[in-house]
Amino acid sequence: MSQDLLQRGKAIKLAVFDVDGVLTDGRLYFLEDGSEFKTFNTLDGQGIKMLMNSGVTTAIISGRKTPVVERRAKNLGIPHLYQGREDKLVVLDGLLAELGLSYEQVAYLGDDLPDLPVIRRVALGMAVANAAPFVRQHAHGVTQARGGEGAAREFCELIMQAQGTLDAANANYL
């Protein structure tokens, strides 16, 4: 893990996640009745819970809107959920105003072009291993894991390691 990424992670108060391709593997599953389902990684979910337990607020900003994402956010206790929003920087501006935070206190994990404006603006903008090449090129860092396969967990642990809270966030689970 680079010293630059650890330095960027020290002041993070808000971690924001995209969904498709980040918290999932990016595939969309449609059933004949028109309903949709997604698969989520339990390691990622545990990482998000640990990050919140360490004192970092979390949010999801997704371009798509599905009930399953709302259910996942509720199950994990993610307090800020925005779906059906391609204008992610505009959404983040509103959330920062609501929380009284600045871009220097935000980390973001994304995978595709709609994520790029946020990735380039925040203190710690990262891409998953299988993100679009242009996005990986402009991110501060790239996870070793692919989206939906532990990338969010890696991102969460990086922030906790930077802040010296990784062990403390785990304490309830040991």
Side-chain angles (χ1 to χ4, degrees), residues 57 79-80 82 91-101:
T57 299
H80 306 283
Y82 303 89
V91 173
L92 184 57
D93 282 339
L95 181 56
L96 292 178
E98 177 187 327
L99 298 176
L101 297 174

Side-chain angles (χ1 to χ4, degrees), residues 7-172:
Q7 188 62 38
R8 289 177 176 278
K10 284 184 179 179
I12 301 305
K13 300 287 183 212
L14 172 66
V16 184
F17 302 86
D18 177 35
V19 176
D20 295 317
V22 173
L23 296 180
T24 74
D25 65 8
R27 293 184 282 186
L28 302 175
Y29 300 91
F30 296 98
L31 302 178
E32 284 193 32
D33 66 2
S35 62
E36 178 179 336
F37 73 91
K38 300 173 186 294
T39 59
F40 297 93
N41 187 304
T42 59
L43 294 175
D44 289 341
Q46 185 62 47
I48 291 169
K49 287 180 178 181
M50 289 166 39
L51 186 64
M52 290 188 298
N53 193 44
S54 78
V56 175
T57 299
T58 56
I60 288 175
I61 304 175
S62 178
R64 295 179 48 80
K65 182 173 176 57
T66 62
V68 71
V69 172
E70 186 174 342
R71 190 168 338 139
R72 181 66 170 159
K74 185 177 182 178
N75 287 345
L76 293 175
I78 296 172
H80 306 283
L81 172 63
Y82 303 89
Q83 292 195 81
R85 300 294 299 266
E86 292 287 334
D87 56 344
K88 296 180 179 193
L89 202 54
V90 172
V91 173
L92 184 57
D93 282 339
L95 181 56
L96 292 178
E98 177 187 327
L99 298 176
L101 297 174
S102 69
Y103 283 108
E104 292 72 29
Q105 296 170 299
V106 178
Y108 186 89
L109 184 61
D111 74 316
D112 210 348
L113 294 177
D115 302 310
L116 194 55
V118 178
I119 286 172
R120 294 183 68 169
R121 182 69 177 90
V122 299
L124 178 60
M126 292 189 64
V128 297
N130 57 322
F134 191 74
V135 175
R136 288 194 318 262
Q137 177 184 345
H138 286 88
H140 297 122
V142 178
T143 63
Q144 291 183 2
R146 298 168 56 88
E149 298 178 6
R153 174 67 168 261
E154 187 179 327
F155 175 74
C156 292
E157 287 186 0
L158 184 153
I159 295 167
M160 289 183 289
Q161 183 178 351
Q163 297 181 0
T165 60
L166 186 54
D167 291 335
N170 280 314
N172 294 333

